[in-house]
Amino acid sequence: MASATLLKSSFLPKKSEWGASRQVAAPRPVTVSMVVVRASAYADELVKTAKTVASPGRGILAMDESNATCGKRLASIGLENTEANRQAYRTLLVTAPGLGQYISGAILFEETLYQSAVDGRKIVDILAEQGIVPGIKVDKGLVPLAGSNNESWCQGLDGLAAREAAYYQAGARFAKWRTVVSIPNGPSELAVKEAAWGLARYAAISQDNGLVPIVEPEILLDGEHGIERTFEVAQKVWAETFYAMAENNVMFEGILLKPSMVTPGAESKDKGANPWHVSFSYARALQNTCLKTWGGAPENVKAAQDALLLRAKANSLAQLGKYTSDGETAEAKEGMFVKNYSY
């Protein structure tokens, strides 16, 4: 048996106190006895994978849109949502020359994990050749949380171990699970605890099957609240999540934490400064210009790949603290917030 000192999330304001007070009491250490469980034979590999994905100057390309969402992207350039068109677009992305200089990991949808490129090579093999670690989206989406304030919970734990074992065999080495917390809807104590526990169970199951879990307790941007309120909620969610992971014996060295940026609500009049971000994981922000440039035309593939590399390089420089907006187009500077966004 071993003892670990943790900061229990109960030191933060109770739900009923959040609206009345912004003061947070000093953390109250809680000693918890637990059996230290390592991630069996995968421990060293998990740490290596996590370090690779989080390597300086590189980040994650999120191309894990469901087929329905991918169809919406294709429709925006006048293409039908067919497997051939999805394959063509995904081939364009992963074969961009030198993409691995800026991208360390790519999150895939299940179809993409098993899909081949237009030239017949498996997409996971192309990523490996680029030095990019393949990842996989494993959650089954958000559904209404009964007993909450119109909030949601993330489903997908049933059968997760078997699915992740198969994903590992197919070449995936990290996983993504997206759960969300809404500030305008509370967040209720129930929603916060459900999000934290779901993330913890997913993380433990992922590590047990050789996949580094991206732990993503997302605080939605929707709302008129200020940055202080966002930080207050984020602090509570982070504390609950790490407490739950400790209870589930998750190996912290073998996870990738993806917290939301702490910003004012999207409808807030107070646009305060944002904290520094240590890496990046983007989907539309990297792909939007690339998709429009391609337009479904084979002769535009190189120009589209150049657009992708330009955006990837800009994010790489930002991650290193070297980015400037000099020479950027107006389109590149446009915000991409979508209210009540789902994918």
Side-chain angles (χ1 to χ4, degrees):
M1 301 290 286
S3 293
T5 299
L6 307 174
L7 297 181
K8 192 173 181 181
S9 60
S10 59
F11 72 79
L12 292 165
K14 296 180 180 178
K15 177 181 67 173
S16 60
E17 300 171 338
W18 288 6
S21 173
R22 297 296 185 212
Q23 296 183 353
V24 178
R28 174 170 59 86
V30 178
T31 300
V32 180
S33 294
M34 64 181 75
V35 177
V36 177
V37 179
R38 308 305 289 178
S40 64
Y42 294 112
D44 292 341
E45 183 182 4
L46 291 170
V47 173
K48 181 180 178 181
T49 298
K51 288 182 177 179
T52 299
V53 176
S55 55
R58 300 203 297 166
I60 297 173
L61 171 62
M63 45 185 294
D64 58 325
E65 303 92 348
S66 66
N67 288 346
T69 299
C70 191
K72 294 177 183 177
R73 305 268 173 87
L74 293 173
S76 72
I77 57 171
L79 292 183
E80 292 184 36
N81 184 15
T82 64
E83 183 177 356
N85 284 335
R86 294 193 299 271
Q87 179 192 49
Y89 180 56
R90 291 162 179 164
T91 297
L92 181 160
L93 294 175
V94 301
T95 59
L99 183 64
Q101 182 178 350
Y102 312 115
I103 300 298
S104 57
I107 309 172
L108 310 177
F109 188 61
E110 187 175 67
E111 177 184 75
T112 320
L113 179 67
Y114 295 103
Q115 199 170 39
S116 296
V118 173
D119 62 8
R121 293 180 295 161
K122 294 188 71 65
I123 285 179
V124 290
D125 292 338
I126 296 173
L127 290 172
E129 290 171 7
Q130 293 254 41
I132 299 172
V133 182
I136 179 71
K137 176 184 181 293
V138 299
D139 69 76
K140 293 295 185 179
L142 301 172
V143 293
L145 176 61
S148 71
N149 185 30
N150 294 320
E151 295 163 288
S152 61
W153 67 284
C154 187
Q155 58 185 347
L157 290 176
D158 289 349
L160 180 60
R163 287 190 288 121
E164 290 195 319
Y167 296 153
Y168 182 91
Q169 291 300 319
R173 289 298 179 269
F174 70 97
K176 175 188 176 182
W177 175 284
R178 177 181 180 259
T179 194
V180 302
V181 172
S182 171
I183 292 179
N185 288 356
S188 67
E189 192 77 16
L190 173 63
V192 171
K193 288 186 179 296
E194 175 60 43
W197 189 257
L199 283 167
R201 290 304 304 143
Y202 140 76
I205 295 169
S206 296
Q207 289 187 339
D208 198 46
N209 288 281
L211 303 183
V212 170
I214 293 180
V215 178
E216 184 178 5
E218 181 175 351
I219 313 299
L220 293 175
L221 293 174
D222 304 76
E224 301 177 356
H225 51 277
I227 193 170
E228 295 84 3
R229 175 62 172 154
T230 304
F231 181 63
E232 178 186 327
V233 173
Q235 193 174 209
K236 179 174 179 61
V237 172
W238 298 337
E240 284 282 3
T241 299
F242 273 91
Y243 190 75
M245 285 196 293
E247 288 190 316
N248 282 274
N249 299 305
V250 172
M251 186 179 74
F252 291 160
E253 307 96 312
I255 71 168
L256 290 166
L257 177 64
K258 187 189 173 189
S260 304
M261 295 176 67
V262 176
T263 67
E267 290 89 19
S268 174
K269 296 178 181 179
D270 174 22
K271 301 300 181 183
N274 300 330
W276 180 247
H277 224 39
V278 296
S279 188
F280 62 89
S281 174
Y282 293 123
R284 292 171 296 150
L286 285 174
Q287 298 180 38
N288 192 48
T289 306
C290 169
L291 180 66
K292 291 180 178 179
T293 302
W294 175 49
E299 63 269 22
N300 293 338
V301 167
K302 184 182 183 305
Q305 290 179 330
D306 289 344
L308 172 64
L309 292 171
L310 183 65
R311 295 263 41 85
K313 181 179 180 180
N315 282 280
S316 172
L317 291 172
Q319 196 261 345
L320 295 170
K322 299 178 180 179
Y323 170 78
T324 67
S325 60
D326 296 343
E328 288 278 26
T329 65
E331 182 181 34
K333 298 179 182 180
E334 290 179 358
M336 303 200 71
F337 168 72
V338 176
K339 191 171 184 178
N340 298 319
Y341 176 69
S342 61
Y343 73 120

